Amino acid sequence: MHDLIIKGGSALIRENNQFKAIKTDIAMDNGRISQIGDLSSSSAKDEIDATGLHILPGVIDSQVHFREPGLEHKEDLESGTRGAVLGGVTAIFDMPNTRPSTDNQQAFESKMSAAADRAWCNFAFYVGATARNTNELPKLENLPGCCGIKIFMGSSTGDLLLTEDEIIEQIFKTTKRTIALHCEDEERLVERKHIAIEGKDPKFHPLWRDEMTALKATQRVLAICEKTKRKAHVLHITTKEEIELLAKNKHLVSVECLPQHLTLTAPECYEKSSTYAQMNPPIRERHHKDALWVGIENNTVDVLGSDHAPHTKEEKQRTYPNSPSGLTGVQTILPLMLNHVNEGKLSLSKLVELLCYNPAQLFKIKNKGELKVGFDADITIVNLNKETTITNDWIASKSGWTTFDGMKVKGWPTHTIIQGKTAMAHDKLVNKALGKPIQFTDV
């Protein structure tokens, strides 16, 4: 008798380098996928009838900010991962801009301990790069549960900032794991801050943090990659100029985009949501959004992340630019993208690459990213036909809000399975916190 069988669904199975929907059954035992095929005569302790549903490899959100330690009034590892599971996400990578920053061994291991028995989904953490810890990074990047190194080239939430190309270059030369970069040019941000201060309205956010602010930093990264013969992972790309440049330099970079930038446009988002649409880098005009979709179509974009970055309502309601940047997103990344699938913007197979397979390949995650015998039984089941309205009431984040409140979407996660155990079924948590540290093959 199996631990769990999913019967009658259309599973996204990778064949000949692409994902195809195949009607089949999937059995799980001891946290792993044990059988894929006709299991109509088999029994299990638990069964899920997936008739009419699609079975995906577990969704991996490779950029979240769960604010623990130090900023738990905004979010913590328990509430953040709970939102992830409710949104169909089975694994997250959390960023290091906490208080104190996750930039040394003690801070990293303390964060890992804090997640044990509290995380609803599987987890890994970035270590933050500073001017002070460059010599330690070759050791820190190999700590169990570390997914890579994060570099902030422009100031955002927290005090992690690295502006000198010489130091960034040294990090590229002395480390081997994935280096992820927030590409905004700090010198230009400082020069243009007066635009935000004088404007006192979030509609000035994309003018302050303009296209050149992003492009200049991305150009600097490409030059460092070329010089050190080393690839980089550039986060939350937002501009047409960057996408076109990166498309010509895919041998040097992997590229992340966010659903926020694929869904919303300026100035409308600021008129509707004010500071609740304020994030770094900013949501921009329609021609930039259109270019990001071209980047997805032509494979310039490798992965999607949510950049879940919550703040309290009180904080967000401060007068711009004293209002903090960041939107919630881990719970809405999959519903938003399933809605785009239904709108014909991308195929479900392409979405599985962006949210499941490519993150596992890029970060060298062990036994995740595919529905495959022997792989971890992390599975997301979705109903492509379910129409739902996203509401603040549904959001598990301590912040209690989403920019997409009131948005009707078609496509919804029905089940989240972590290591062969159902964690969420039909919008309800049905188990305890099951998350474990993610393992990597390049350590």
Side-chain angles (χ1 to χ4, degrees):
M1 181 177 285
H2 297 290
D3 291 341
L4 174 63
I5 296 179
I6 304 170
K7 289 188 174 180
S10 295
L12 274 289
I13 306 285
R14 189 167 176 82
E15 290 184 351
N16 301 320
N17 295 322
Q18 61 179 341
F19 284 91
K20 297 177 182 176
I22 299 170
K23 190 163 185 180
T24 190
D25 306 324
I26 300 176
M28 285 148 270
D29 293 286
N30 301 314
R32 299 284 179 92
I33 295 173
S34 56
Q35 261 184 287
I36 299 175
D38 181 2
L39 300 172
S40 54
S41 59
S42 299
S43 59
K45 298 168 190 170
D46 192 13
E47 287 190 10
I48 295 173
D49 180 2
T51 304
L53 306 178
H54 284 78
I55 308 164
L56 318 183
V59 168
I60 300 166
D61 187 348
S62 51
Q63 189 188 177
V64 302
H65 302 261
F66 284 165
R67 307 301 193 201
E68 186 177 346
L71 299 163
E72 289 92 342
H73 67 286
K74 303 174 190 276
E75 194 76 286
D76 63 32
L77 292 164
E78 188 279 328
S79 61
T81 54
R82 180 158 34 95
V85 163
L86 286 166
V89 172
T90 63
I92 58 92
F93 292 176
D94 189 57
M95 287 295 174
N97 53 331
T98 47
R99 191 175 293 167
S101 301
T102 313
D103 58 7
N104 60 73
Q105 184 168 346
Q106 182 181 353
F108 188 92
E109 291 178 344
S110 174
K111 193 169 170 180
M112 290 293 292
S113 296
D117 302 320
R118 290 174 62 228
W120 288 83
C121 68
N122 299 314
F123 55 91
F125 300 142
Y126 276 99
V127 63
T130 72
R132 303 180 305 276
N133 74 352
T134 50
N135 292 332
E136 292 295 309
L137 288 173
K139 174 186 175 184
L140 296 175
E141 68 173 351
N142 288 313
L143 291 172
C146 182
C147 53
I149 297 164
K150 172 70 180 286
I151 296 175
F152 286 88
M153 298 177 74
S155 52
S156 193
T157 301
D159 56 7
L160 285 172
L161 182 64
L162 203 51
T163 59
E164 300 86 358
D165 287 1
E166 296 78 14
I167 297 176
I168 297 173
E169 188 179 314
Q170 181 189 344
I171 293 169
F172 271 64
K173 287 178 177 176
T174 58
T175 62
K176 65 183 179 67
R177 306 283 306 285
T178 301
I179 299 176
L181 298 103
H182 177 126
C183 296
E184 288 186 289
D185 187 81
E186 180 66 12
E187 184 179 353
R188 188 170 174 87
L189 283 176
V190 172
E191 284 174 1
R192 297 171 63 81
K193 181 70 183 284
H194 69 93
I195 295 171
I197 294 170
E198 294 161 11
K200 296 180 181 177
D201 189 299
K203 71 181 180 183
F204 290 98
H205 201 57
L207 296 177
W208 167 33
R209 307 178 90 104
D210 68 343
E211 295 92 332
M212 186 52 67
T213 299
L215 180 63
K216 194 175 176 184
T218 299
Q219 288 171 330
R220 288 166 52 203
V221 169
L222 288 173
I224 292 169
C225 291
E226 193 77 68
K227 189 173 181 180
T228 59
K229 301 293 184 284
R230 173 93 202 264
K231 286 190 79 166
H233 182 55
V234 290
L235 299 165
H236 41 46
I237 293 302
T238 60
T239 71
K240 181 176 188 286
E241 292 82 358
E242 286 173 288
I243 279 289
E244 291 175 351
L245 176 65
L246 293 167
K248 299 171 186 172
N249 290 278
K250 283 297 290 175
H251 62 296
L252 298 176
V253 289
S254 53
V255 178
E256 177 202 66
C257 273
L258 313 183
Q260 298 91 310
H261 298 120
L262 293 166
T263 306
L264 302 172
T265 53
E268 295 84 357
C269 67
Y270 302 109
E271 293 165 358
K272 179 179 183 290
S273 304
S274 188
T275 52
Y276 287 98
Q278 176 193 336
M279 64 178 298
N280 302 332
I283 296 162
R284 305 188 189 276
E285 295 85 350
R286 184 171 299 276
H287 71 278
H288 291 297
K289 183 179 80 168
D290 292 343
L292 298 182
W293 279 110
V294 172
I296 284 178
E297 192 175 336
N298 66 18
N299 297 321
T300 300
V301 177
D302 298 283
V303 300
L304 298 171
S306 74
D307 195 13
H308 176 88
H311 301 282
T312 66
K313 291 178 182 178
E314 291 75 19
E315 291 166 337
K316 290 297 276 186
Q317 287 164 3
R318 293 174 189 159
T319 302
Y320 180 84
N322 295 320
S323 47
S325 293
L327 311 184
T328 60
V330 71
Q331 200 168 332
T332 52
I333 183 171
L334 184 56
L336 288 173
M337 294 312 301
L338 291 174
N339 190 59
H340 286 308
V341 168
N342 276 308
E343 291 176 337
K345 296 281 186 63
L346 76 169
S347 67
L348 185 61
S349 299
K350 180 67 173 179
L351 183 59
V352 168
E353 289 180 3
L354 293 166
L355 279 178
C356 313
Y357 182 75
N358 288 355
Q361 293 294 306
L362 179 66
F363 289 90
K364 297 180 171 59
I365 301 174
K366 187 176 181 181
N367 293 332
K368 296 188 192 296
E370 289 185 73
L371 298 175
K372 198 173 182 179
V373 171
F375 269 41
D376 294 343
D378 295 341
I379 293 173
T380 304
I381 305 178
V382 302
N383 183 344
L384 282 178
N385 296 313
K386 184 176 180 181
E387 297 185 20
T388 311
T389 299
I390 295 171
T391 64
N392 287 338
D393 290 342
W394 174 64
I395 297 298
S397 170
K398 284 186 176 183
S399 65
W401 60 270
T402 169
T403 309
F404 301 99
D405 179 52
M407 180 178 173
K408 293 181 179 177
V409 295
K410 186 176 182 181
W412 199 257
T414 63
H415 298 77
T416 308
I417 296 166
I418 310 286
Q419 292 158 24
K421 296 177 181 177
T422 305
M424 182 277 287
H426 305 294
D427 297 328
K428 303 290 184 187
L429 297 168
V430 293
N431 217 312
K432 59 182 181 179
L434 298 168
K436 300 292 182 191
I438 295 168
Q439 295 183 314
F440 299 88
T441 61
D442 63 341
V443 178

